[in-house]
């Protein structure tokens, strides 16, 4: 779950950017892109969206030294 930081939740520009990120990501379908399941707003005004948890090797571990 990705949740907007509380200090940023009152800034219109930051809220719009977060919402755009969730919408665009939700519209993408590709094996290399994690799907967005749902998104919304918490009672305190912070925005959020959820994605499946993926387990496995991190990108850092996969990259050569």
């Amino acid at each position: 779950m990705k949740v907007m930081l509380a200090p940023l939740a009152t800034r219109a520009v930051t809220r719009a950017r977060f919402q755009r990120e969730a919408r665009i990501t939700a519209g993408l379908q590709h094996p290399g892109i994690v799907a967005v399941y749902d998104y919304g707003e918490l009672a305190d005004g912070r925005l959020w969206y959820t994605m499946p948890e993926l387990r496995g090797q991190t990108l850092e571990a996969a990259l050569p030294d």
Side-chain angles (χ1 to χ4, degrees):
M1 180 173 198
K2 183 170 182 176
V3 180
M4 176 179 270
L5 296 173
L8 302 177
T10 59
R11 298 178 55 198
V13 171
T14 307
R15 290 178 64 81
R17 185 178 303 136
F18 192 94
Q19 289 170 323
R20 185 172 47 250
E21 175 185 332
R23 272 194 318 275
I24 290 171
T25 306
L28 300 174
Q29 293 183 359
H30 185 275
I33 299 173
V34 180
V36 171
Y37 285 158
D38 199 6
Y39 56 91
E41 185 174 344
L42 298 172
D44 65 4
R46 291 179 298 152
L47 301 175
W48 59 269
Y49 65 90
T50 58
M51 302 157 287
E53 179 180 5
L54 300 178
R55 295 179 182 254
Q57 189 176 25
T58 66
L59 177 60
E60 182 179 11
L63 295 175
D65 290 332

